[in-house]
């Protein structure tokens, strides 16, 4: 989400003549895009601001903070950081040029954190000029979140759900394909609760059928909104990539209840079973919070058991961090704060288990021939190529296939986080025939 927001900020600035520099030392404008999901991110922001203060003093660079911490702190951030020029929330990205004009012309310190309701809000678009040369691009499908998970600050910083009208999304995708984009990732805080004129499943099918699109991905989904129709879309449309990021948060029913996640483990598992039946081999990834208030060793073991049972491809797991204005933040003491040392120790056990599963999953690919969408040279060795499998596994391989092509790669080895191989004889796969869908 934040990578997407940063890209869109860069494009919004490019429209008024700004160009990226490789080093903050040479910048005339520095914007920190912030995340408020855990406390650590906020601490990092403050230390980064301290570093960039020197650039401001030396060459008069303008300094701004965007994103969820900006939305949360508003004018308080200007008071706290006297050398900060402007603060803007996630909804104000398209208005960045105007904010800068006010900062420069009126010599004003600006706070722009108003939320816009659906009719007024303009979704920032990926700019085909900036996307040229990219194989994969994000496309925003919706913003905000109407859920009330007790740990989460997102509804406070990103507001209510607003979906983008589907013709607008399809038009953006068509423009991206024209400049060479082959893979599109639809994003939203709760992307599968999309309601922009068609269902989310239908949106995926329609995006997949834009001529030239090779793969469609999406993130992030709530288990609650994983419909049968969406499972069906996975069954019928091969261009919907076989990867589902489905945050479970905990393996314990009691913890899920306090988290206000309105599903049981049984429901979660049955949805995964349906997905796996519709698309055998689909990779499942998840998010997990450890040390949620009141989490016992037994609750935590249920999370370990779930991780073993599902065999997630990977997971983003974190220690619970109390957030302002959230129910779990306020009730941490009442429900039972898990001591810091216990949280950290549990996280390490969970991550160790996940690392082993990920490693085994990747090792099982060795000697197979797999499909790879080529993104460009490998970062670690520019003589090799880099790409991703439909399951979103990273592959470094020997070959010469250009970015944007699909190749078959013979897997020769695996590491804890990626695959290695050789480009096989068959260079391009036959195109996938379009499937007609009911309008
Ligand atoms: N909309 C997504 C999640 C968005 S936030 C969903 O419903 O699953 C991304 C992840 O950050 C969450 O899945 C959660 O695992 C983590 N997270 C959110 N609040 C947190 C907190 N207070 N402490 C620790 N991790 C948190
Ligand atoms: Fe936060 Fe996701 Fe829950 Fe919304 S659904 S409140 S974004 S964790």
């Amino acid at each position: 989400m934040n990578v997407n927001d940063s890209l869109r900020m860069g494009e919004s600035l490019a429209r008024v003549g700004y160009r990226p520099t490789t080093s903050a030392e040479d910048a005339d404008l520095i914007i920190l895009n912030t995340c408020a999901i855990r406390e650590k991110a906020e601490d990092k922001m403050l230390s980064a601001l301290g570093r960039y203060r020197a650039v401001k003093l030396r060459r008069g660079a303008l300094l701004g903070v965007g994103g969820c911490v900006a939305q949360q702190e508003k004018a308080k951030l200007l008071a706290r950081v006297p050398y900060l020029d402007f603060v803007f929330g996630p909804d104000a990205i398209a208005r960045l040029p105007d904010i800068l004009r006010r900062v420069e012309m009126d010599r004003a310190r600006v706070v722009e954190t108003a939320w816009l309701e659906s009719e007024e809000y303009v979704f920032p678009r990926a700019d085909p000029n900036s996307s040229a040369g990219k194989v994969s691009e994000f496309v925003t499908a919706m913003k905000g979140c109407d859920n009330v998970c007790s740990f989460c600050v997102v509804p406070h910083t990103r507001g209510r759900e607003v979906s983008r009208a589907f013709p607008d999304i399809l038009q953006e995708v068509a423009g991206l394909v024209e400049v060479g984009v082959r893979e599109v990732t639809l994003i939203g805080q709760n992307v599968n609760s999309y309601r922009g004129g068609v269902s989310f499943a239908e949106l995926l099918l329609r995006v997949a059928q834009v001529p030239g699109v090779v793969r469609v991905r999406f993130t992030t989904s709530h288990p609650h909104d994983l419909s049968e129709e969406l499972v069906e879309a996975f069954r019928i449309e091969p261009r919907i990539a076989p990867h589902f990021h489905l945050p479970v948060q905990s393996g314990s029913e009691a913890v899920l209840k306090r988290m206000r996640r309105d599903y049981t483990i049984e429901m979660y598992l049955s949805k995964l079973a349906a997905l796996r039946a519709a698309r055998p081999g689909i990779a499942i990834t998840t998010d997990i919070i450890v040390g949620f208030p009141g989490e016992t060793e037994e609750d935590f073991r249920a999370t370990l058991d779930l991780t073993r049972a599902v065999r997630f491809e990977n997971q983003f797991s974190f220690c619970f961090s109390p957030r302002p204005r959230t129910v779990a933040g306020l009730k941490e003491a009442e429900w039972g704060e898990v001591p810091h040392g216990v949280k950290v120790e549990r996280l390490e056990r969970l991550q160790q288990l996940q690392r082993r599963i990920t490693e085994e999953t990747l090792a099982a690919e060795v000697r197979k021939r797999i499909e790879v969408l080529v993104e460009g040279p490998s970062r670690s060795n520019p003589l090799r190529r880099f790409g991703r499998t439909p399951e979103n596994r990273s592959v470094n391989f020997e070959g010469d296939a250009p970015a944007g092509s699909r190749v078959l790669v013979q897997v020769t080895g695996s590491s804890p986080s990626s695959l290695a191989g050789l480009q096989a004889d068959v260079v391009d796969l036959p195109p996938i025939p379009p499937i007609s869908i009911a309008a």
Side-chain angles (χ1 to χ4, degrees):
M1 182 68 69
N2 281 35
V3 170
N4 175 54
D5 285 351
S6 295
L7 289 169
R8 305 296 81 92
M9 282 177 205
E11 290 163 6
S12 174
L13 292 169
R15 288 187 190 112
V16 287
Y18 282 92
R19 279 185 313 277
T21 66
T22 47
S23 152
E25 304 299 311
D26 306 326
D28 298 316
L29 167 66
I30 300 175
I31 294 176
L32 285 179
N33 185 18
T34 58
C35 174
I37 205 90
R38 285 173 295 275
E39 201 170 359
K40 211 169 181 172
E42 291 188 40
D43 296 344
K44 277 192 197 161
M45 173 199 73
L46 289 173
S47 69
L49 279 174
R51 276 200 308 281
Y52 297 139
R53 185 181 182 202
V55 187
K56 178 168 186 70
L57 290 176
R58 192 163 40 78
R59 48 180 295 138
L62 295 177
L63 202 51
V65 171
C68 286
V69 177
Q71 186 66 41
Q72 190 173 272
E73 301 289 315
K74 304 186 176 66
K76 275 188 280 174
L77 205 53
L78 288 187
R80 206 161 144 201
V81 188
Y83 50 90
L84 193 59
D85 295 299
F86 61 101
V87 165
F88 64 106
D91 271 12
I93 295 173
R95 283 175 282 153
L96 254 179
D98 179 52
I99 296 172
L100 283 168
R101 197 186 43 73
R102 279 151 60 201
V103 172
E104 283 173 332
M105 309 280 260
D106 311 344
R107 298 259 146 239
R109 298 177 84 200
V110 176
V111 178
E112 187 73 61
T113 50
W115 272 330
L116 298 180
E117 291 312 320
S118 44
E119 314 82 61
E120 314 160 59
Y121 185 71
V122 180
F123 282 91
R125 272 175 170 244
D127 179 351
N129 292 322
S130 313
S131 303
K134 282 196 200 170
V135 173
S136 186
E137 183 59 282
F138 293 112
V139 171
T140 310
M142 55 86 73
K143 65 158 187 148
C145 177
D146 286 349
N147 290 320
V148 285
C149 304
S150 65
F151 51 82
C152 186
V153 78
V154 168
H156 303 283
T157 60
R158 300 226 172 210
R160 303 298 302 251
E161 284 178 12
V162 180
S163 294
R164 186 172 170 193
F166 77 92
D168 195 26
I169 297 178
L170 294 177
Q171 205 181 47
E172 178 173 340
V173 172
L176 293 172
V177 168
E178 253 171 58
V179 297
V181 170
R182 291 289 166 263
E183 177 182 89
V184 167
T185 304
L186 297 177
I187 63 165
Q189 276 304 332
N190 228 342
V191 75
N192 60 339
S193 75
Y194 174 85
R195 283 183 217 94
V198 292
S199 67
F200 182 61
E202 175 141 2
L203 176 69
L204 279 181
L205 293 173
R206 289 190 182 222
V207 170
Q209 288 166 16
V210 171
V213 167
V214 167
R215 284 180 194 162
V216 188
R217 303 186 181 283
F218 55 96
T219 197
T220 285
S221 306
H222 193 294
H224 169 83
D225 297 301
L226 203 181
S227 63
E228 281 174 25
E229 193 196 2
L230 183 52
V231 173
E232 183 61 12
F234 270 88
R235 198 181 62 74
I236 64 175
E237 177 50 77
R239 281 164 293 197
I240 299 175
H243 169 208
F244 211 116
H245 183 68
L246 196 60
V248 67
Q249 312 298 358
S250 170
S252 152
E253 304 287 358
V255 171
L256 285 179
K257 258 211 184 90
R258 284 200 298 283
M259 287 179 162
R260 304 202 174 158
R261 297 282 294 183
D262 79 357
Y263 51 83
T264 60
I265 294 300
E266 192 186 328
M267 283 153 72
Y268 182 84
L269 290 176
S270 83
K271 294 203 175 196
L272 288 192
L275 270 177
R276 283 175 162 162
R279 188 68 78 81
I282 187 168
I284 308 292
T285 55
T286 200
D287 291 350
I288 286 174
I289 297 178
V290 301
F292 187 79
E295 184 191 71
T296 61
E297 172 66 20
E298 197 185 336
D299 291 323
F300 173 66
R301 286 209 185 139
T303 300
L304 291 176
D305 289 344
L306 182 74
T307 297
R308 265 184 224 108
V310 174
R311 288 187 69 78
F312 295 110
E313 171 94 15
N314 218 331
Q315 60 177 253
F316 296 110
S317 40
F318 304 100
C319 292
F320 170 73
S321 167
R323 302 286 57 217
R325 292 190 293 160
T326 61
V327 173
L330 296 168
K331 296 210 168 188
E332 191 177 21
E334 185 187 322
W335 288 346
E337 182 178 345
V338 177
H340 179 72
V342 176
K343 278 186 194 166
V344 172
E345 182 255 350
R346 284 181 189 166
L347 185 66
E348 182 45 38
R349 278 155 72 197
L350 179 62
Q351 293 188 339
Q352 204 178 338
L353 170 64
Q354 183 60 56
R355 277 195 295 272
R356 204 192 72 220
I357 295 170
T358 303
E359 205 166 339
E360 287 169 3
T361 307
L362 292 175
E365 293 301 291
V366 177
R367 282 186 290 281
K368 286 189 193 163
R369 269 189 177 204
I370 56 170
E371 180 196 320
V372 173
L373 177 61
V374 185
E375 291 187 13
S378 160
R379 247 162 287 161
S380 53
N381 176 356
L383 295 175
R384 305 178 86 200
R385 309 295 288 161
F386 174 83
R388 286 174 194 278
T389 71
E391 298 80 7
N392 213 23
R393 297 173 182 141
S394 300
V395 187
N396 294 292
F397 63 96
E398 282 171 39
D400 56 6
S405 62
R406 283 182 305 166
V407 293
L408 288 176
V409 168
Q410 179 73 40
V411 183
T412 52
S414 68
S415 77
S417 60
S418 67
L419 299 170
L422 298 168
Q423 188 177 313
D425 314 337
V426 186
V427 174
D428 222 319
L429 301 167
I432 303 162
I435 296 173
S436 62
I437 46 159

